[in-house]
Amino acid sequence: GAGVSQSPSNKVTEKGKDVELRCDPISGHTALYWYRQSLGQGLEFLIYFQGNSAPDKSGLPSDRFSAERTGGSVSTLTIQRTQQEDSAVYLCASSLGGQRGAGELFFGEGSRLTVL
Amino acid sequence: SQQGEEDPQALSIQEGENATMNCSYKTSINNLQWYRQNSGRGLVHLILIRSNEREKHSGRLRVTLDTSKKSSSLLITASRAADTASYFCATVSGAGSYQLTFGKGTKLSVIP
């Protein structure tokens, strides 16, 4: 597709359940990011992947959060044993990457997670 | 942790007026970027300014960067109702760094 695609767009789950959020980046983009945005707040960095390098997981809030990127393309963010404070919009973004560091990010529309 | 802090948190202006938003940051940067977010949508990149640049223009947007004061400003001229959105600055700290750190944003309302 032309842009970053995220699914599902909305997810309502019960406390304690596991959820998976998917991100399809723009074809050819080597860098992929996950951010979390709570209501009315800024973006909280979670993790990014750059090419074949080890991902930067420094923003993951707990060991209940994990992410993988298969074949350098699609990424899945998994939240285990969800808690109510995990309720937020999870935004994925991709960029061209390269040696010069972070440039323009292209964002998906986000996955809104509600934990009851 | 927040690197960029936008000011003001909210701004309401009449259509046709200019809107100015400011961003302050704490550590040295490689580049600074501005994004717009319409309600319930993803972010859209507006402009990127590198640490060795002082000013950039894109259409009705003008961005300035003062590295000595660790601050940037975004000016939207002749605002339109469609400019109503939240505006975020994001900083990239080091050369070759891939981590963008976002501020909490300025919520702009343009009244027709």
Side-chain angles (χ1 to χ4, degrees):
Chain A
V4 176
S5 178
Q6 291 189 245
S7 62
S9 54
N10 277 288
K11 175 73 175 179
V12 179
T13 190
E14 293 180 347
K15 178 181 171 181
K17 302 274 184 162
D18 297 352
V19 296
E20 285 190 351
L21 308 176
R22 176 187 168 105
C23 174
D24 269 293
I26 293 172
S27 178
H29 280 192
T30 61
L32 185 147
Y33 300 74
W34 284 99
Y35 285 88
R36 178 168 72 175
Q37 186 176 32
S38 300
L39 187 63
Q41 298 297 309
L43 276 69
E44 176 188 3
F45 168 77
L46 297 178
I47 187 170
Y48 82 72
F49 300 86
Q50 168 53 37
N52 295 321
S53 302
D56 180 344
K57 305 179 181 180
S58 60
L60 294 178
S62 78
D63 59 8
R64 295 187 296 106
F65 288 72
S66 63
E68 64 177 19
R69 188 178 185 190
T70 54
S73 181
V74 172
S75 177
T76 302
L77 177 69
T78 300
I79 309 172
Q80 295 178 310
R81 304 181 302 282
T82 52
Q83 304 293 314
Q84 288 181 332
E85 61 262 29
D86 299 334
S87 295
V89 176
Y90 290 81
L91 291 162
C92 176
S94 68
S95 72
L96 282 170
Q99 296 302 312
R100 294 182 65 193
E104 176 183 356
L105 264 58
F106 294 81
F107 280 84
E109 294 292 299
S111 291
R112 181 177 297 278
L113 174 65
T114 303
V115 182
L116 301 177
Chain B
S1 61
Q2 299 290 351
Q3 160 75 312
E5 292 287 339
E6 291 90 344
D7 168 57
Q9 292 186 342
L11 178 62
S12 183
I13 60 173
Q14 295 290 131
E15 201 166 30
E17 294 181 338
N18 296 341
T20 299
M21 288 158 272
N22 302 297
C23 170
S24 59
Y25 57 92
K26 297 174 183 172
T27 62
S28 61
I29 60 169
N30 174 267
N31 71 66
L32 183 147
Q33 303 179 31
W34 285 92
Y35 288 80
R36 184 185 74 206
Q37 184 179 37
N38 288 83
S39 181
R41 308 295 299 273
L43 278 74
V44 174
H45 181 267
L46 295 176
I47 212 163
L48 180 155
I49 186 165
R50 300 195 182 279
S51 58
N52 60 352
E53 297 175 313
R54 291 297 167 258
E55 188 171 310
K56 284 189 86 168
H57 296 255
S58 177
R60 294 184 295 112
L61 305 181
R62 173 179 167 245
V63 168
T64 61
L65 179 64
D66 186 333
T67 54
S68 66
K69 295 182 180 178
K70 292 187 170 59
S71 68
S72 173
S73 67
L74 170 67
L75 168 68
I76 304 174
T77 59
S79 62
R80 305 167 182 168
D83 295 327
T84 294
S86 291
Y87 292 81
F88 295 89
C89 69
T91 54
V92 179
S93 291
S97 170
Y98 282 93
Q99 188 168 134
L100 272 79
T101 306
F102 285 80
K104 294 184 178 179
T106 292
K107 191 168 185 177
L108 173 66
S109 299
V110 181
I111 303 165

